[in-house]
Amino acid sequence: MIGGYLAFNFLNSGTSSAISAETIVALQQLSINVPQDIGTTHFIPQEIFTFENLQTLSGFVIMIGGGFLIGFGTRWAGGCTSGHAITGLSNLQMPSLVAVIGFFIGGLIMTHYLMPIILNL
Amino acid sequence: MRLLRFSLVGVLFGIVMTKSEAISWYRIQEMFRFDSFHMYGIIGVAVISGVVIHLLFKSKPVFGADGELISFKDKPQTYKASILGGTLFGLGWAMTGACPGPLYVLFGHGNLVILAVILSAMFGAFCYGVLKSKLPH
């Protein structure tokens, strides 16, 4: 939290490399606008992550449902991105490779099939 | 002293995650759409650095803050848990665009609503603890 605060408030150059054009178009079709310069924003879309949206079905599913899956999945798989994808893979752990494959199965299904449905709830 | 050391590593983590934009919801969308090298570059460099650091730690004994030898335990061979838990995690990762560490960084940026996601993730971890004996591992 402190690192995030310092980086955002004191180490912010206001520039960043651009998000790819393909992603920008795909997100526009889901009514989410990608800011010109994500380095100067809060890195999360204001179309979704607000207190008001916690009271809408799609906002609730994304924030509360998504949070629940992260917590449950991390404990079940025995690690998260840093524990499995980075530390586990770099220590050549087979269970970590399997977990990373799982991360991508879930992530690809969500991004390509479920998110368009959830955002239209 | 120990707390200070741990805190400094945490602060560095928050800064690196912010400056690399690995905490960006948009970057995670881009990653799962295979539209950019950005996230793969970050993770790839982290894994390569990790391999080198693991080898250095194994090549000669390194001691921690309390003078204990730092060693690495192998991950338990629970492949069902890895694939099933991993898939649930991936579903959540693509929705929130953040994994557990970055949630705290985003909260530190001043995104107060992220606290709801953090609390929900803690509740998810709690539910795993309750259901643990009934789940395949």
Side-chain angles (χ1 to χ4, degrees):
Chain A
M1 286 187 208
I2 299 171
Y5 175 80
L6 290 176
F8 187 72
N9 289 290
F10 300 108
L11 299 170
N12 196 337
S13 63
T15 56
S16 69
S17 54
I19 294 281
S20 86
E22 290 91 340
T23 301
I24 292 176
V25 171
L27 289 175
Q28 261 165 2
Q29 286 166 355
L30 297 170
S31 304
I32 293 171
N33 287 307
V34 179
Q36 283 288 312
D37 201 340
I38 59 166
T40 59
T41 69
H42 289 276
F43 294 94
I44 50 176
Q46 299 305 306
E47 290 91 338
I48 301 173
F49 294 91
T50 61
F51 281 104
E52 296 80 67
N53 277 351
L54 273 177
Q55 291 151 37
T56 67
L57 188 55
S58 60
F60 186 87
V61 169
I62 291 173
M63 286 184 270
I64 304 300
F68 184 90
L69 286 172
I70 293 175
F72 196 97
T74 298
R75 289 285 289 116
W76 195 2
C80 58
T81 327
S82 52
H84 272 314
I86 295 173
T87 321
L89 286 186
S90 66
N91 198 21
L92 312 177
Q93 299 293 305
M94 204 52 195
S96 294
L97 182 62
V98 175
V100 173
I101 292 169
F103 296 168
F104 271 83
I105 293 174
L108 292 173
I109 292 173
M110 178 56 66
T111 303
H112 295 276
Y113 299 106
L114 301 181
M115 269 302 253
I117 299 171
I118 293 170
L119 283 167
N120 283 318
L121 285 176
Chain B
M1 238 350 254
R2 292 184 62 211
L3 271 180
L4 182 71
R5 287 189 214 186
F6 288 140
S7 305
L8 285 176
V9 176
V11 169
L12 184 66
F13 176 79
I15 293 173
V16 170
M17 293 307 271
T18 301
K19 297 309 288 179
S20 67
E21 296 176 4
I23 53 159
S24 164
W25 185 90
Y26 308 99
R27 291 285 178 208
I28 304 302
Q29 282 287 314
E30 196 179 50
M31 173 181 79
F32 283 130
R33 293 170 194 278
F34 301 105
D35 284 343
S36 166
F37 180 69
H38 192 101
M39 286 302 300
Y40 297 99
I42 294 173
I43 296 172
V45 169
V47 170
I48 293 166
S49 317
V51 169
V52 173
I53 292 167
H54 271 110
L55 288 175
L56 282 175
F57 272 55
K58 284 172 183 171
S59 69
K60 64 175 188 180
V62 181
F63 299 94
D66 293 332
E68 78 285 15
L69 181 70
I70 294 178
S71 59
F72 299 102
K73 287 193 203 81
D74 283 333
K75 293 270 183 192
Q77 307 281 313
T78 48
Y79 290 103
K80 279 182 199 155
S82 281
I83 194 79
L84 296 171
T87 303
L88 289 189
F89 175 84
L91 291 167
W93 191 16
M95 271 200 269
T96 62
C99 34
L103 285 177
Y104 291 97
V105 182
L106 285 168
F107 186 71
H109 283 197
N111 297 298
L112 300 184
V113 73
I114 292 294
L115 189 62
V117 186
I118 293 174
L119 290 175
S120 182
M122 285 179 178
F123 181 65
F126 170 80
C127 288
Y128 168 78
V130 173
L131 296 172
K132 190 175 178 181
S133 59
K134 298 190 178 72
L135 296 168
H137 280 84

